[in-house]
Structures are given as structure tokens and as C-alpha cells.
Amino acid sequence: MVSKETDLIQIEENAVNMIAESSLPPTKPVPMEYVSVTEDIKYELKLDASQEAELIIQFLQRDINILNDATQSRFTKRKSLEKIQSETIQKTPQLDADVMAGLLIVLLPVLLKICADPVEKARETSVRILKRIPNVAGRGLLRYVVEMLVKRLGTLETVEASEEIRLLLVQLMNQIATLAGT
């Protein structure tokens, strides 16, 4: 038993020495943006929808925390929203409806909060993400989206200053109304 351990230690030391003596440049770690972590892990572990949603939420947790923090800069919030957008609605292949439904439980409160953010780009990105949600969200979750729509559009004074975002909100409201009619 001891000889196997010493053999393994010797092999490891030889490998370290060979790497140190080689003229190959050290490899750089690959940034997380370039690695489809969820796809690789999903394929290897054969995850179900709730486990895949949990994995994506863990991957996006830092960005979710940034969006919940009012002291973060505009640039940081924008980057976090873009990352959430790329990992959810712009993901290829598209996420299953069950996975998106699992993500909504965590992402919906954050996205609704950002709809009232003073930064127009953040509000726009949040609404663009929300526009992709009605098809997979349950009716219980959609009521929170409707409450936000009423606050942003349903008053005598216009709360939403941007015409483009008002258009996106009306389109979102139309999607929800169409789904409610079916």
C-alpha cells in the first residue's frame, strides 16, 4: 500500500518537473463567458428542469445580487442585465419552458424592481426579458407583472418617461391579455 502512494507521489513530481522544464507558455484560464457551463454540466449529469434552473441561478447569483443593490453603478447593472438576458432568453439552444419557469421564481422580483430603475437602458432590458416570460409563467406569477404594468401605465400621470419602454410595456400587456383569453 505504501509503495503505491510513493509511486503516485513520484509520478506527480515527475509531471510537475516536466511542465516546469518545458518551454510551453502557461495556459490562461478561460473566462466564464466563453464556457457554456450549464450545457456541459447538463449533458454530463443529465439534469432535470428544476436542477438545471438551480444551476443557472447559481451561475447568475452575483448578477442578481448586483441588481438588488441600489448602490451599484449603471454600468455594472447594465452588464448584469445583459448577462441574465444572454443566459435566459437569448440562450441557444433555447431553455425549456420548465427551466424558464424555475428561473422566474427568482428572477421575476428582480426584473420587476428594475422596471422602476432610473436608468432607461436597465428598464428597457428588464422589460425585454419580461416580454419573453408570459409564455412560460403561470398565471400566479403573471399577476405581479400586471401589477407592475398598472403602476407604470395605469395612472393619469405618465410614470414611464420613455416612449420606447411604454411601447414595450403595452406589447407585454397585449401578450398577457391574449394569454388570459385562451
Side-chain angles (χ1 to χ4, degrees):
M1 185 65 140
V2 174
S3 66
K4 287 183 182 180
E5 287 180 349
T6 56
D7 289 342
L8 290 174
I9 293 171
Q10 186 63 37
I11 291 170
E12 185 178 338
E13 288 175 358
N14 290 342
V16 169
N17 290 335
M18 287 173 55
I19 292 171
E21 292 172 0
S22 73
S23 61
L24 296 174
T27 58
K28 295 180 182 177
V30 179
M32 290 303 286
E33 291 82 24
Y34 298 110
V35 179
S36 178
V37 175
T38 54
E39 285 301 313
D40 293 342
I41 293 174
K42 177 185 165 187
Y43 178 75
E44 292 294 323
L45 300 178
K46 299 184 181 16
L47 300 175
D48 66 2
S50 64
Q51 292 170 327
E52 185 177 355
E54 214 173 290
L55 182 68
I56 295 170
I57 289 169
Q58 286 176 359
F59 184 68
L60 296 174
Q61 190 61 54
R62 179 176 181 271
D63 300 293
I64 293 168
N65 293 342
I66 286 171
L67 293 174
N68 279 323
D69 186 2
T71 62
Q72 293 293 329
S73 71
R74 294 174 178 215
F75 179 76
T76 309
K77 283 184 178 182
R78 188 188 68 174
K79 286 293 186 186
S80 292
L81 275 169
E82 288 172 355
K83 184 176 175 185
I84 288 172
Q85 186 176 22
S86 69
E87 289 295 323
T88 55
I89 64 171
Q90 292 177 343
K91 187 124 177 131
T92 53
Q94 287 187 340
L95 296 173
D96 295 338
D98 293 337
V99 175
M100 280 298 289
L103 291 173
L104 282 180
I105 294 168
V106 175
L107 291 179
L108 191 62
V110 175
L111 294 172
L112 292 175
K113 178 182 173 185
I114 295 298
C115 285
D117 196 82
V119 179
E120 183 177 331
K121 184 64 176 175
R123 291 193 316 268
E124 181 182 352
T125 305
S126 178
V127 173
R128 286 190 187 283
I129 295 170
L130 287 171
K131 275 185 65 181
R132 298 287 298 269
I133 287 175
N135 299 333
V136 296
R139 292 182 192 265
L141 292 177
L142 287 180
R143 106 184 134 120
Y144 298 111
V145 177
V146 171
E147 287 176 16
M148 180 274 300
L149 289 170
V150 169
K151 288 178 185 173
R152 303 297 296 172
L153 299 173
T155 59
L156 293 176
E157 293 181 21
T158 305
V159 175
E160 181 54 63
S162 169
E163 187 176 319
E164 292 85 7
I165 297 175
R166 283 197 307 266
L167 174 62
L168 290 172
L169 289 170
V170 169
Q171 290 171 345
L172 176 60
M173 184 172 42
N174 185 30
Q175 283 180 303
I176 293 171
T178 303
L179 284 173
T182 58

